[in-house]
C-alpha cells in the first residue's frame, strides 16, 4: 500500500500532466494531485480554478484525488502519510532543478522518496508557461491542453493583435 503525491503549480494543467497522472495512478494505492500555491509566485489561474480544471479531467480514476498546499511539499507528504513524491521530467533542462529539489526534500525528510517519471516524447515540450504564451498569440492548443483549459484560457487571455 504505497501512497503517492504528484505536486505542481498546474497553471494550467496540460496533457503532459494528465498523461503522467494516468500512467502512475495504477502503481499506487492512492494518488493525491497536490496543487501548490506559493505567495511568491504569480499565477494566471486562482488556486480554486486550477483545482477545478484538474478535477474536470480526472473522471473515474477511483484512487486519485486533489488537494491544495501552501507550505512545504515534503511536509504535506509526511502529514498525508505519503511515502512518494512523483515528479515529471521532460528534458535535460528539467534535471538540475528536479535533482536539487529532491535532494533538499531528502534532507528535510529522508522517509519521503522522490520518483521521477519521464514524459512521453509527444509532451516533452509541453509546459504550462509555453501554453500560456501560445494562447496569448492565438495558436492552436488542441494537442497541448484539455478542452476545458482551452475555454478557460480563451476567457482569460486577450489574444495579441485581436
Ligand atoms: P512546478 O511549478 O512545480 O514545476 P508544474 O505544474 O509546472 O509545477 O509541473 C508539475 C510537475 O509536472 C513537475 O514535475 C513537472 O516537471 C511535470 N511536468 C510538467 N509538464 C510536463 C509534461 N509535459 N510531461 C511530463 N511532466 C510534466
Amino acid at each position: 500500500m504505497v501512497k503517492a503525491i504528484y505536486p505542481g503549480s498546474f497553471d494550467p494543467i496540460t496533457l503532459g500532466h494528465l498523461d503522467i497522472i494516468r500512467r502512475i495512478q495504477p502503481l499506487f494505492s492512492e494518488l493525491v494531485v497536490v496543487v501548490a500555491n506559493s505567495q511568491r509566485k504569480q499565477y494566471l489561474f486562482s488556486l480554486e480554478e486550477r483545482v477545478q480544471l484538474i478535477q474536470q479531467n480526472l473522471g473515474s480514476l477511483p484512487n486519485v484525488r486533489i488537494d491544495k498546499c501552501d507550505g512545504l511539499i515534503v511536509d504535506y507528504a509526511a502529514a498525508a502519510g505519503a511515502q512518494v513524491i512523483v515528479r515529471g521530467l521532460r528534458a535535460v533542462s528539467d534535471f538540475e532543478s528536479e535533482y536539487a529539489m529532491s535532494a533538499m526534500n531528502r534532507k528535510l525528510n529522508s522517509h519521503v522518496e522522490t520518483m521521477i517519471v519521464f514524459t512521453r516524447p509527444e509532451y516533452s515540450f509541453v509546459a504550462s508557461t509555453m501554453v500560456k504564451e501560445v494562447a496569448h498569440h492565438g495558436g492552436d492548443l488542441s494537442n497541448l491542453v484539455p478542452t476545458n483549459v482551452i475555454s478557460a484560457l480563451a476567457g482569460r487571455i486577450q489574444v495579441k493583435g485581436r
Side-chain angles (χ1 to χ4, degrees), residues 80-93:
Q83 299 94 324
V84 175
I85 297 173
V86 176
R87 295 285 292 175
L89 202 80
R90 286 163 293 196
V92 180
S93 49

Side-chain angles (χ1 to χ4, degrees), residues 106-123:
R106 179 182 300 283
K107 190 87 185 155
L108 294 171
N109 187 335
S110 61
H111 301 292
V112 179
E113 198 62 60
T114 298
M115 282 189 187
I116 296 294
V117 178
F118 289 98
T119 183
R120 274 186 212 279
E122 60 262 43
Y123 299 130

